[in-house]
Amino acid sequence: MDQPTPLLRSLSLLEISFYGIGTIVGAGIYVLLGKVVSESGMMAPWAFFLAAVVVCFSAASYAELSRRFPHSAGEPVYIVESLRSRHLGALVGYALVLGAIISAATITRGFTGYMGVFSHLPDWSMMTILIIILTAIALWGVKQSVTIAILTTVLELAGLLLIIVISGDDIKQRGIDWSSLTPEFSTTEFTAITSGAFLAFFAFIGFEDMVHMAEEVKNPQTNLPLGIAIAVTVTTLLYATIAIVALQTVPLESLASSPAPMVLLVERNSDLPLQLMGAIGVVAMVNGILLQIIMVSRVLYGMAKRQLAPALLSSVCTATRTPIPATLLAGSLVLAFALWLPVTTLARATSCLILLVFTFVNLSLLSLHYRERQRGPLQLGLPATGTLLCIGFLVIQIWS
């Protein structure tokens, strides 16, 4: 009997790190900065900081579990191995897939805001053309897809650094009004920060996608945990800096209402053509969507290999070494959701689903450490804190 065709193990630490950074940046700051500001006002940097804290505890759990179980399905494998429940593993796997599909649909809706600088085509037609092209690229091959993602990630980062540089003169002349950024910790401000943080949390989604490339990463036991740490650290520093720069150089009302906040920053702080940042924003959107389509296909592929999803989804093309049926399904679902729901609804739905997934991942590591009698303060404290933060974050948002 012929052995099934495996995925191609070809990604280095640098490539998987850029994969993570590209997914995180493409899914967040280019789309949701204005939305976070509309929720949190001048407290937006604190909203990003709170979201980063929640993410860091879960990222630590992902890093440890990816080292132990370097398999494409990621979270479903962690839950089956740690909590010993195939049904729960499958449920969490499908929740993760749905969250990632909605995430990619959110970015697809954001893409039309930046693409509007260049085209006056109807939004639905731009989104349809985009998803067809990106699905075709994802089918082409993982090495080719990730190479494209690395190039677009470099351009995304260049766009953010450009924002910081062109705003530098204004910041130097006026200085930073730190008092306006300092919270008084009133109930109103706390509510505003947590509400904004729930949206800002979406801007950090993406690091968990890295674990689904485990069967395509060289030396995954070492490179995956390191890659996760690099991606989360780089993006947290960038987000904090961009949020402060934006709030100090652009009127709050304008920033909160902008569908393309990076274009607005270029318009207010420089004489550069708007098309420049519009083009970078388009690239950021494209990168984020491509990486999410790849990620969803790998989760479905990994689940199918473990009989947690239909067997057809485990089929790999011998020529491209990519999971064709899983990729086609991923692209189709992204387009359907993008055409269906508005961006804020999509972002909130994604955050809810991913928070639930993070909760179970943290519980998985907590259970594993307890069963193995690794019961020190760090072994139990980190995943327990991550679990409580995710649950609390979700409850506060639902309550508000």
Side-chain angles (χ1 to χ4, degrees):
M1 181 176 177
D2 292 338
Q3 291 295 318
T5 303
L7 298 174
L8 182 63
R9 194 175 294 281
S10 61
L11 304 180
S12 65
L13 172 62
L14 179 64
E15 289 169 322
I16 194 63
S17 298
F18 268 101
Y19 176 96
I21 293 169
T23 309
I24 297 170
V25 173
I29 197 76
Y30 277 88
V31 178
L32 286 179
L33 177 60
K35 305 294 184 184
V36 173
V37 169
S38 70
E39 294 284 340
S40 301
M42 295 300 293
M43 297 297 103
W46 290 98
F48 280 105
F49 176 74
L50 178 57
V53 170
V54 174
V55 162
C56 282
F57 282 96
S58 295
S61 293
Y62 268 92
E64 169 67 11
L65 288 167
S66 69
R67 183 184 64 79
R68 288 171 174 255
F69 310 112
H71 304 291
S72 289
E75 293 89 339
V77 173
Y78 306 158
I79 289 165
V80 170
E81 295 290 344
S82 303
L83 300 180
R84 306 291 174 81
S85 172
R86 288 181 58 80
H87 293 298
L88 183 58
L91 182 64
V92 169
Y94 284 120
L96 177 70
V97 165
L98 180 59
I101 288 167
I102 298 174
S103 172
T106 307
I107 310 166
T108 304
R109 294 298 296 259
F111 165 84
T112 62
Y114 283 89
M115 195 64 188
V117 176
F118 307 98
S119 172
H120 298 292
L121 287 173
D123 288 355
W124 69 267
S125 62
M126 287 193 286
M127 290 189 286
T128 302
I129 294 168
L130 173 69
I131 297 303
I132 290 173
I133 292 172
L134 294 184
T135 303
I137 292 173
L139 291 169
W140 184 18
V142 68
K143 189 69 175 179
Q144 296 89 334
S145 300
V146 173
T147 298
I148 292 171
I150 289 173
L151 295 175
T152 52
T153 297
V154 170
L155 189 56
E156 288 178 54
L157 297 177
L160 296 180
L161 293 175
L162 176 64
I163 292 292
I164 296 169
V165 170
I166 64 176
S167 304
D169 289 340
D170 197 13
I171 294 287
K172 286 179 183 178
Q173 289 176 6
R174 295 163 45 185
I176 296 177
D177 182 7
W178 292 109
S179 62
S180 67
L181 301 172
T182 304
E184 297 176 358
F185 298 106
S186 64
T187 302
T188 302
E189 284 194 343
F190 177 75
T191 302
I193 290 171
T194 53
S195 180
F198 194 77
L199 276 177
F201 175 83
F202 178 85
F204 288 95
I205 290 174
F207 75 86
E208 75 282 0
D209 294 1
M210 300 166 70
V211 304
H212 307 119
M213 307 302 291
E215 294 179 33
E216 293 159 284
V217 174
K218 300 173 184 176
N219 191 16
Q221 289 85 352
T222 300
N223 288 340
L224 272 176
L226 278 175
I228 290 171
I230 291 168
V232 171
T233 300
V234 169
T235 50
T236 299
L237 293 174
L238 273 174
Y239 284 2
T241 305
I242 289 292
I244 292 171
V245 165
L247 288 169
Q248 294 298 304
T249 59
V250 174
L252 193 64
E253 296 77 13
S254 300
L255 191 61
S257 61
S258 175
M262 298 303 138
V263 172
L264 177 63
L265 283 165
V266 169
E267 181 181 14
R268 293 291 183 126
N269 298 331
S270 77
D271 296 323
L272 293 172
L274 299 185
Q275 288 81 0
L276 175 63
M277 187 51 63
I280 295 174
V282 166
V283 169
M285 304 301 102
V286 168
N287 192 29
I289 300 161
L290 172 61
L291 294 180
Q292 291 286 55
I293 290 173
I294 294 171
M295 170 266 190
V296 169
S297 69
R298 271 40 177 197
V299 176
L300 292 172
Y301 160 82
M303 290 176 65
K305 277 182 62 180
R306 289 180 168 250
Q307 293 80 50
L308 299 174
L312 174 65
L313 298 175
S314 67
S315 175
V316 174
C317 176
T318 55
T320 63
R321 302 281 288 274
T322 55
I324 301 292
T327 304
L328 289 173
L329 179 60
S332 301
L333 291 174
V334 168
L335 179 59
F337 275 87
L339 295 171
W340 182 29
L341 292 173
V343 65
T344 302
T345 302
L346 287 167
R348 289 188 180 279
T350 305
S351 295
C352 284
L353 287 166
I354 298 300
L355 276 169
L356 286 172
V357 171
F358 283 6
T359 299
F360 281 109
V361 168
N362 284 304
L363 281 173
S364 295
L365 184 59
L366 183 63
S367 172
L368 197 62
H369 280 169
Y370 191 82
R371 193 166 67 240
E372 295 176 348
R373 299 186 181 277
Q374 298 180 26
R375 301 175 183 175
L378 286 179
Q379 286 92 341
L380 297 184
L382 287 177
T385 303
T387 302
L388 293 174
L389 280 173
C390 289
I391 293 173
F393 210 38
L394 189 53
V395 168
I396 288 172
Q397 178 58 30
I398 293 171
W399 180 263
S400 66

